[in-house]
Amino acid sequence: MPELPEVETTCRGISPHLVNQTITQVIFRHKQLRWPIPIKALKDHLIDATITEVSRRAKYILIQVPTGTVVIHLGMSGTLRIVSATTPLRAHDHFDCILSSNKILRLNDPRRFGALLWLPNHHTLAQLENLGPEPLSTEFTATYLYQSAQKHRSPIKTFIMNQKVVVGVGNIYASESLFMAKIHPEYPANALSLTQYQDLHKAIQKVLGKAIKKGGTTLKDFCQSDGKPGYFSQELKVYDRQEEPCLSCQSPIHAIRLGQRSTYFCPRCQPLPSKFKRKKELLL
DNA sequence: ACTGGATCCTGATCGC
DNA sequence: TGCGATCAGGATCCAG
């Protein structure tokens, strides 16, 4: 369940269990997630190392030890939990990090779209380079979005999900933010006005900020057993609501595929000027 | 340089 | 009950 708010929540949840703990053992049960796991480097650098900090960049979780950083991405299906030695193993428990407190940081990821990487101090990691600004930071502004968009004619939804533009806007929040800003997801990025980007910028921050709060409360016990997902559904205005009435105008919510991702919007609240509508014959 | 599509993998769900 | 098709909260890679 790795939307940015859950990654943030995971970070906050595991951090107190990790910081100042010494790692006594690491166990690998799979050698590859999205990329091969650098098992040897992780063993060499983690065993007997003390964790100094846990932080987040984009949807990557960063666990700092004296000689470098463990970089974890949860992909589509990953979870990180704090468990005990008696917690039974489940399918897809790929990695354990055993601490001096006897607690265990356990990574589970059925689809293995996630990542477990090692970043030595003073090195760089391609995945962490060229990332756009954090959506809740002050570098992320409406003007920045507007200017970045000028050379992109791709649909606005695809544009805001591009991590080089801004990090952390996933498939759910892209649809939700565009609904709040009353912008059609297929609107070409470079056709939107600065005013529209001001609305969109505000919407992204509002939706993500609220979701982090929700994630924080709903997942507060996520590290004990299984924090139930589905808590978003109460807040979602369009996502996964195909054919249901728009909460603002009662029109049926539409669903389309955009960039191979499910996309939801209200055709009445988020109109698309006819000049931007795609013609079927052009798609063939 | 940008864009869209294919791709990695397992599991849940739905129609037949 | 079983089977195949489809879809899932991500993001990289590659051809055009």
Side-chain angles (χ1 to χ4, degrees), chain A residues 86-154:
Chain A
T86 58
T87 306
L89 274 180
R90 302 181 308 173
H92 314 298
D93 282 338
H94 303 310
F95 170 66
D96 278 2
C97 183
I98 303 171
L99 307 165
S100 43
S101 62
N102 290 325
K103 284 179 178 162
I104 301 171
L105 176 70
R106 178 167 289 171
L107 173 67
N108 182 285
D109 185 3
R111 292 178 73 179
R112 305 206 299 274
F113 281 6
L116 176 54
L117 301 169
W118 171 248
L119 172 60
N121 284 342
H122 314 301
H123 285 62
T124 57
L125 203 55
Q127 288 84 350
L128 297 177
E129 300 294 305
N130 307 316
L131 288 175
E134 291 287 329
L136 298 176
S137 73
T138 52
E139 335 166 39
F140 179 62
T141 64
T143 306
Y144 161 80
L145 260 188
Y146 175 72
Q147 287 172 349
S148 309
Q150 294 315 302
K151 54 182 184 292
H152 290 267
R153 57 180 178 177
S154 52

Side-chain angles (χ1 to χ4, degrees), chain A residues 146-197:
Chain A
Y146 175 72
Q147 287 172 349
S148 309
Q150 294 315 302
K151 54 182 184 292
H152 290 267
R153 57 180 178 177
S154 52
I156 183 62
K157 175 172 178 260
T158 308
F159 177 70
I160 57 173
M161 288 179 67
N162 181 344
Q163 59 157 10
K164 288 180 187 165
V165 173
V166 57
V167 302
V169 181
N171 198 41
I172 291 176
Y173 296 123
S175 281
E176 294 297 312
S177 301
L178 288 166
F179 173 75
M180 186 182 283
K182 301 190 188 300
I183 295 169
H184 193 288
E186 287 185 293
Y187 221 110
N190 61 2
L192 290 166
S193 67
L194 178 57
T195 306
Q196 286 174 300
Y197 274 110

Side-chain angles (χ1 to χ4, degrees), chain A residues 225-252:
Chain A
S225 54
D226 42 356
K228 276 281 157 278
Y231 63 94
F232 285 139
S233 45
Q234 310 203 348
E235 301 291 333
L236 297 180
K237 306 282 194 275
V238 289
Y239 188 84
D240 207 20
R241 295 194 63 244
Q242 183 172 11
E243 298 306 320
E244 290 176 40
C246 169
L247 297 175
S248 172
C249 79
Q250 318 304 321
S251 295

Side-chain angles (χ1 to χ4, degrees), chain A residues 41-54:
Chain A
L42 287 168
K43 278 186 177 165
D44 288 349
H45 290 273
L46 294 187
I47 294 173
D48 294 332
T50 299
I51 297 168
T52 56
E53 191 187 356
V54 178

Side-chain angles (χ1 to χ4, degrees), chain A residues 24-36:
Chain A
T24 59
Q25 197 186 346
V26 284
I27 298 174
F28 300 90
R29 300 189 187 83
H30 211 283
K31 61 181 185 198
Q32 170 140 0
L33 297 177
R34 181 185 185 86
W35 295 288

Side-chain angles (χ1 to χ4, degrees), chain A residues 58-95:
Chain A
K59 294 173 192 161
Y60 292 90
I61 292 166
L62 310 174
I63 301 173
Q64 180 77 45
V65 295
T67 57
T69 308
V70 182
V71 178
I72 297 174
H73 196 290
L74 301 175
M76 297 271 261
S77 59
T79 53
L80 267 181
R81 298 160 187 279
I82 302 293
V83 300
S84 76
T86 58
T87 306
L89 274 180
R90 302 181 308 173
H92 314 298
D93 282 338
H94 303 310
F95 170 66

